[in-house]
Amino acid sequence: MLTTAALRAHLLAAGLAGPVATSRERSLRSYRLFAARDPRVLLGIEPERDWSFMELLRLMSDKCGISANPAHTSGQEVIDPDLTLAALDAFAERLAAAAAAGAPVLLGTGHPHRLLGFYASLAAALSAAGCPVLTPAQGRCIDITTQFGVRTYNLSYVRGVAMVREPGARCAARDPGCHSHSPLPVRVALGCAADRGGPLPGLVIGDHGWVCGAGQLGFEAIGLADADDPAPFVGQAEGRVSVAVPLDDAVRSAYYRPITRYVLNRACLSQ
């Protein structure tokens, strides 16, 4: 059993919380873009009200622990590990509730290189507990706008976790998927599930566009979010995302294993 104290120490040692790799400049730029409703940072969330830059800064300070001082404009962001732990406990509670209900679940990530193992472990544990792990729209082509223009990707599932991959990608071991912020994949997946008469997920687990896009469509959604991604936290503040866990979402994949053990233990889903 991984104790809360041990996980807190790991979060700090691995750079998952405390001083993280995300730069202050990057965070502030994202908040300004979100305030301007730039779709690149909305991640599928359609804010109910206008969020000013200062309101976003205060929200991210409350939810992540970053500095609320607008004069602090450079250096590393700092995520409060105690806020991360509290959010992980809430995340585990939602996993436990889904498992108790045998609810269908949908998992997806825009960070497959880093987070596939985390989500795949959750998928395996939930499946063992009796939750159907959904894989709608497998292989469907999706046109996504990127910084290089519109590109076509395929929706793919690896170990029960959805991601987008380039057409013709080789086996998962060689090409685990593409980094993406887009909400289009989850919209396609959910639309396909609805068109076929279900089942529809009782819980969506993911990051970036997966958690925000699902929450915007009215599905219960929980996930991980970095300090430069205000959308999940706005979604949580406005009641469309159930849990957003603040942490660095781009460290080495092995560093997420203690988090996996912790939330599965807290949810009584350890295998």
mmCIF file of all heavy atoms in Angstrom, residues 55-85:
data_model
loop_
_atom_site.group_PDB
_atom_site.id
_atom_site.type_symbol
_atom_site.label_atom_id
_atom_site.label_comp_id
_atom_site.label_asym_id
_atom_site.label_seq_id
_atom_site.Cartn_x
_atom_site.Cartn_y
_atom_site.Cartn_z
ATOM 1 N N GLU A 55 -9.298 36.229 -13.679
ATOM 2 C CA GLU A 55 -10.149 35.188 -13.102
ATOM 3 C C GLU A 55 -9.548 33.806 -13.326
ATOM 4 O O GLU A 55 -9.590 32.944 -12.432
ATOM 5 C CB GLU A 55 -11.543 35.264 -13.710
ATOM 6 C CG GLU A 55 -12.360 36.453 -13.237
ATOM 7 C CD GLU A 55 -13.674 36.586 -13.980
ATOM 8 O OE1 GLU A 55 -13.696 36.280 -15.197
ATOM 9 O OE2 GLU A 55 -14.664 36.994 -13.346
ATOM 10 N N LEU A 56 -8.997 33.607 -14.504
ATOM 11 C CA LEU A 56 -8.349 32.322 -14.789
ATOM 12 C C LEU A 56 -7.117 32.121 -13.917
ATOM 13 O O LEU A 56 -6.864 31.019 -13.419
ATOM 14 C CB LEU A 56 -7.970 32.247 -16.265
ATOM 15 C CG LEU A 56 -9.139 32.109 -17.239
ATOM 16 C CD1 LEU A 56 -8.676 32.375 -18.662
ATOM 17 C CD2 LEU A 56 -9.774 30.723 -17.136
ATOM 18 N N LEU A 57 -6.362 33.170 -13.727
ATOM 19 C CA LEU A 57 -5.166 33.074 -12.888
ATOM 20 C C LEU A 57 -5.555 32.706 -11.460
ATOM 21 O O LEU A 57 -4.910 31.854 -10.823
ATOM 22 C CB LEU A 57 -4.408 34.403 -12.923
ATOM 23 C CG LEU A 57 -3.005 34.419 -12.310
ATOM 24 C CD1 LEU A 57 -2.097 33.413 -13.006
ATOM 25 C CD2 LEU A 57 -2.408 35.822 -12.385
ATOM 26 N N ARG A 58 -6.629 33.319 -10.944
ATOM 27 C CA ARG A 58 -7.081 32.994 -9.590
ATOM 28 C C ARG A 58 -7.616 31.564 -9.523
ATOM 29 O O ARG A 58 -7.374 30.840 -8.550
ATOM 30 C CB ARG A 58 -8.155 33.989 -9.142
ATOM 31 C CG ARG A 58 -7.608 35.370 -8.805
ATOM 32 C CD ARG A 58 -8.639 36.213 -8.089
ATOM 33 N NE ARG A 58 -9.772 36.571 -8.960
ATOM 34 C CZ ARG A 58 -9.817 37.662 -9.705
ATOM 35 N NH1 ARG A 58 -8.803 38.514 -9.692
ATOM 36 N NH2 ARG A 58 -10.875 37.924 -10.446
ATOM 37 N N LEU A 59 -8.355 31.141 -10.553
ATOM 38 C CA LEU A 59 -8.870 29.771 -10.578
ATOM 39 C C LEU A 59 -7.730 28.763 -10.563
ATOM 40 O O LEU A 59 -7.757 27.788 -9.792
ATOM 41 C CB LEU A 59 -9.731 29.556 -11.826
ATOM 42 C CG LEU A 59 -10.217 28.121 -12.055
ATOM 43 C CD1 LEU A 59 -11.270 27.734 -11.022
ATOM 44 C CD2 LEU A 59 -10.761 27.945 -13.472
ATOM 45 N N MET A 60 -6.723 28.994 -11.392
ATOM 46 C CA MET A 60 -5.612 28.050 -11.464
ATOM 47 C C MET A 60 -4.781 28.070 -10.188
ATOM 48 O O MET A 60 -4.186 27.051 -9.806
ATOM 49 C CB MET A 60 -4.757 28.358 -12.690
ATOM 50 C CG MET A 60 -5.501 28.195 -14.009
ATOM 51 S SD MET A 60 -6.187 26.533 -14.245
ATOM 52 C CE MET A 60 -4.696 25.640 -14.680
ATOM 53 N N SER A 61 -4.744 29.200 -9.522
ATOM 54 C CA SER A 61 -4.081 29.265 -8.219
ATOM 55 C C SER A 61 -4.842 28.421 -7.201
ATOM 56 O O SER A 61 -4.247 27.654 -6.435
ATOM 57 C CB SER A 61 -3.989 30.717 -7.745
ATOM 58 O OG SER A 61 -3.401 30.780 -6.460
ATOM 59 N N ASP A 62 -6.183 28.524 -7.222
ATOM 60 C CA ASP A 62 -7.003 27.765 -6.281
ATOM 61 C C ASP A 62 -6.937 26.264 -6.546
ATOM 62 O O ASP A 62 -6.890 25.467 -5.609
ATOM 63 C CB ASP A 62 -8.464 28.225 -6.371
ATOM 64 C CG ASP A 62 -8.673 29.616 -5.810
ATOM 65 O OD1 ASP A 62 -7.805 30.096 -5.062
ATOM 66 O OD2 ASP A 62 -9.717 30.218 -6.130
ATOM 67 N N LYS A 63 -6.937 25.862 -7.826
ATOM 68 C CA LYS A 63 -7.034 24.453 -8.177
ATOM 69 C C LYS A 63 -5.683 23.757 -8.336
ATOM 70 O O LYS A 63 -5.582 22.548 -8.153
ATOM 71 C CB LYS A 63 -7.825 24.290 -9.474
ATOM 72 C CG LYS A 63 -9.269 24.777 -9.382
ATOM 73 C CD LYS A 63 -10.051 24.006 -8.331
ATOM 74 C CE LYS A 63 -11.507 24.424 -8.298
ATOM 75 N NZ LYS A 63 -12.271 23.703 -7.234
ATOM 76 N N CYS A 64 -4.654 24.532 -8.702
ATOM 77 C CA CYS A 64 -3.325 23.942 -8.944
ATOM 78 C C CYS A 64 -2.275 24.403 -7.936
ATOM 79 O O CYS A 64 -1.270 23.724 -7.763
ATOM 80 C CB CYS A 64 -2.821 24.295 -10.352
ATOM 81 S SG CYS A 64 -3.832 23.651 -11.681
ATOM 82 N N GLY A 65 -2.494 25.573 -7.351
ATOM 83 C CA GLY A 65 -1.511 26.103 -6.422
ATOM 84 C C GLY A 65 -0.475 27.016 -7.036
ATOM 85 O O GLY A 65 0.491 27.401 -6.373
ATOM 86 N N ILE A 66 -0.646 27.360 -8.330
ATOM 87 C CA ILE A 66 0.315 28.254 -8.960
ATOM 88 C C ILE A 66 0.201 29.646 -8.365
ATOM 89 O O ILE A 66 -0.782 29.979 -7.696
ATOM 90 C CB ILE A 66 0.101 28.321 -10.487
ATOM 91 C CG1 ILE A 66 -1.236 28.992 -10.800
ATOM 92 C CG2 ILE A 66 0.190 26.936 -11.106
ATOM 93 C CD1 ILE A 66 -1.402 29.399 -12.233
ATOM 94 N N SER A 67 1.189 30.485 -8.616
ATOM 95 C CA SER A 67 1.158 31.857 -8.118
ATOM 96 C C SER A 67 0.024 32.637 -8.766
ATOM 97 O O SER A 67 -0.174 32.581 -9.982
ATOM 98 C CB SER A 67 2.485 32.550 -8.419
ATOM 99 O OG SER A 67 2.402 33.937 -8.122
ATOM 100 N N ALA A 68 -0.720 33.390 -7.956
ATOM 101 C CA ALA A 68 -1.793 34.244 -8.459
ATOM 102 C C ALA A 68 -1.300 35.645 -8.771
ATOM 103 O O ALA A 68 -2.096 36.513 -9.147
ATOM 104 C CB ALA A 68 -2.930 34.311 -7.441
ATOM 105 N N ASN A 69 -0.009 35.866 -8.649
ATOM 106 C CA ASN A 69 0.576 37.193 -8.882
ATOM 107 C C ASN A 69 0.830 37.386 -10.374
ATOM 108 O O ASN A 69 1.701 36.702 -10.940
ATOM 109 C CB ASN A 69 1.876 37.322 -8.092
ATOM 110 C CG ASN A 69 2.522 38.684 -8.263
ATOM 111 O OD1 ASN A 69 1.987 39.578 -8.928
ATOM 112 N ND2 ASN A 69 3.692 38.857 -7.650
ATOM 113 N N PRO A 70 0.123 38.284 -11.052
ATOM 114 C CA PRO A 70 0.345 38.474 -12.489
ATOM 115 C C PRO A 70 1.720 39.038 -12.813
ATOM 116 O O PRO A 70 2.166 38.958 -13.961
ATOM 117 C CB PRO A 70 -0.767 39.449 -12.894
ATOM 118 C CG PRO A 70 -1.097 40.188 -11.640
ATOM 119 C CD PRO A 70 -0.910 39.195 -10.531
ATOM 120 N N ALA A 71 2.405 39.594 -11.805
ATOM 121 C CA ALA A 71 3.746 40.127 -12.021
ATOM 122 C C ALA A 71 4.795 39.016 -12.072
ATOM 123 O O ALA A 71 5.928 39.249 -12.486
ATOM 124 C CB ALA A 71 4.102 41.137 -10.932
ATOM 125 N N HIS A 72 4.398 37.810 -11.657
ATOM 126 C CA HIS A 72 5.297 36.648 -11.750
ATOM 127 C C HIS A 72 5.158 36.103 -13.166
ATOM 128 O O HIS A 72 4.198 35.391 -13.475
ATOM 129 C CB HIS A 72 4.902 35.617 -10.703
ATOM 130 C CG HIS A 72 5.699 34.353 -10.761
ATOM 131 N ND1 HIS A 72 5.280 33.180 -10.162
ATOM 132 C CD2 HIS A 72 6.886 34.049 -11.346
ATOM 133 C CE1 HIS A 72 6.165 32.227 -10.387
ATOM 134 N NE2 HIS A 72 7.146 32.726 -11.105
ATOM 135 N N THR A 73 6.101 36.411 -14.030
ATOM 136 C CA THR A 73 5.936 36.130 -15.460
ATOM 137 C C THR A 73 6.956 35.165 -16.050
ATOM 138 O O THR A 73 6.909 34.899 -17.257
ATOM 139 C CB THR A 73 5.999 37.448 -16.258
ATOM 140 O OG1 THR A 73 7.259 38.077 -16.030
ATOM 141 C CG2 THR A 73 4.863 38.380 -15.862
ATOM 142 N N SER A 74 7.854 34.621 -15.247
ATOM 143 C CA SER A 74 8.865 33.730 -15.808
ATOM 144 C C SER A 74 9.245 32.653 -14.807
ATOM 145 O O SER A 74 8.888 32.724 -13.630
ATOM 146 C CB SER A 74 10.112 34.520 -16.232
ATOM 147 O OG SER A 74 10.715 35.140 -15.110
ATOM 148 N N GLY A 75 9.978 31.664 -15.295
ATOM 149 C CA GLY A 75 10.432 30.564 -14.448
ATOM 150 C C GLY A 75 9.534 29.352 -14.559
ATOM 151 O O GLY A 75 8.714 29.239 -15.470
ATOM 152 N N GLN A 76 9.681 28.431 -13.635
ATOM 153 C CA GLN A 76 8.888 27.198 -13.615
ATOM 154 C C GLN A 76 7.572 27.435 -12.891
ATOM 155 O O GLN A 76 7.503 28.201 -11.922
ATOM 156 C CB GLN A 76 9.644 26.082 -12.890
ATOM 157 C CG GLN A 76 10.866 25.550 -13.606
ATOM 158 C CD GLN A 76 11.586 24.527 -12.740
ATOM 159 O OE1 GLN A 76 12.425 24.878 -11.930
ATOM 160 N NE2 GLN A 76 11.246 23.247 -12.926
ATOM 161 N N GLU A 77 6.524 26.734 -13.353
ATOM 162 C CA GLU A 77 5.292 26.715 -12.588
ATOM 163 C C GLU A 77 5.481 25.812 -11.371
ATOM 164 O O GLU A 77 6.324 24.901 -11.373
ATOM 165 C CB GLU A 77 4.126 26.179 -13.421
ATOM 166 C CG GLU A 77 3.442 27.182 -14.294
ATOM 167 C CD GLU A 77 2.812 28.357 -13.571
ATOM 168 O OE1 GLU A 77 3.047 28.565 -12.354
ATOM 169 O OE2 GLU A 77 2.107 29.109 -14.254
ATOM 170 N N VAL A 78 4.682 26.057 -10.344
ATOM 171 C CA VAL A 78 4.721 25.237 -9.136
ATOM 172 C C VAL A 78 3.311 24.755 -8.848
ATOM 173 O O VAL A 78 2.396 25.562 -8.653
ATOM 174 C CB VAL A 78 5.270 26.025 -7.934
ATOM 175 C CG1 VAL A 78 5.246 25.145 -6.678
ATOM 176 C CG2 VAL A 78 6.685 26.510 -8.206
ATOM 177 N N ILE A 79 3.127 23.434 -8.839
ATOM 178 C CA ILE A 79 1.844 22.820 -8.516
ATOM 179 C C ILE A 79 1.882 22.338 -7.072
ATOM 180 O O ILE A 79 2.852 21.697 -6.649
ATOM 181 C CB ILE A 79 1.550 21.641 -9.470
ATOM 182 C CG1 ILE A 79 1.372 22.155 -10.906
ATOM 183 C CG2 ILE A 79 0.316 20.871 -9.026
ATOM 184 C CD1 ILE A 79 1.192 21.051 -11.937
ATOM 185 N N ASP A 80 0.849 22.652 -6.318
ATOM 186 C CA ASP A 80 0.782 22.267 -4.915
ATOM 187 C C ASP A 80 0.510 20.758 -4.817
ATOM 188 O O ASP A 80 -0.554 20.299 -5.235
ATOM 189 C CB ASP A 80 -0.341 23.052 -4.236
ATOM 190 C CG ASP A 80 -0.428 22.801 -2.739
ATOM 191 O OD1 ASP A 80 0.097 21.768 -2.262
ATOM 192 O OD2 ASP A 80 -1.034 23.629 -2.032
ATOM 193 N N PRO A 81 1.423 19.972 -4.273
ATOM 194 C CA PRO A 81 1.209 18.516 -4.222
ATOM 195 C C PRO A 81 0.005 18.118 -3.379
ATOM 196 O O PRO A 81 -0.605 17.072 -3.621
ATOM 197 C CB PRO A 81 2.516 17.984 -3.625
ATOM 198 C CG PRO A 81 3.093 19.146 -2.875
ATOM 199 C CD PRO A 81 2.711 20.358 -3.653
ATOM 200 N N ASP A 82 -0.364 18.938 -2.404
ATOM 201 C CA ASP A 82 -1.529 18.607 -1.584
ATOM 202 C C ASP A 82 -2.827 18.746 -2.381
ATOM 203 O O ASP A 82 -3.781 17.982 -2.164
ATOM 204 C CB ASP A 82 -1.560 19.489 -0.335
ATOM 205 C CG ASP A 82 -0.390 19.192 0.599
ATOM 206 O OD1 ASP A 82 -0.056 17.998 0.778
ATOM 207 O OD2 ASP A 82 0.202 20.137 1.127
ATOM 208 N N LEU A 83 -2.853 19.691 -3.318
ATOM 209 C CA LEU A 83 -4.013 19.799 -4.202
ATOM 210 C C LEU A 83 -4.061 18.607 -5.158
ATOM 211 O O LEU A 83 -5.141 18.098 -5.475
ATOM 212 C CB LEU A 83 -3.968 21.107 -4.975
ATOM 213 C CG LEU A 83 -4.158 22.385 -4.149
ATOM 214 C CD1 LEU A 83 -3.995 23.622 -5.028
ATOM 215 C CD2 LEU A 83 -5.525 22.393 -3.467
ATOM 216 N N THR A 84 -2.906 18.160 -5.605
ATOM 217 C CA THR A 84 -2.850 16.965 -6.456
ATOM 218 C C THR A 84 -3.377 15.751 -5.707
ATOM 219 O O THR A 84 -4.188 14.982 -6.234
ATOM 220 C CB THR A 84 -1.407 16.705 -6.922
ATOM 221 O OG1 THR A 84 -0.916 17.851 -7.608
ATOM 222 C CG2 THR A 84 -1.347 15.501 -7.846
ATOM 223 N N LEU A 85 -2.945 15.579 -4.472
ATOM 224 C CA LEU A 85 -3.389 14.432 -3.675
ATOM 225 C C LEU A 85 -4.894 14.474 -3.422
ATOM 226 O O LEU A 85 -5.577 13.438 -3.524
ATOM 227 C CB LEU A 85 -2.639 14.405 -2.343
ATOM 228 C CG LEU A 85 -1.159 14.033 -2.423
ATOM 229 C CD1 LEU A 85 -0.460 14.350 -1.113
ATOM 230 C CD2 LEU A 85 -0.990 12.558 -2.780
#
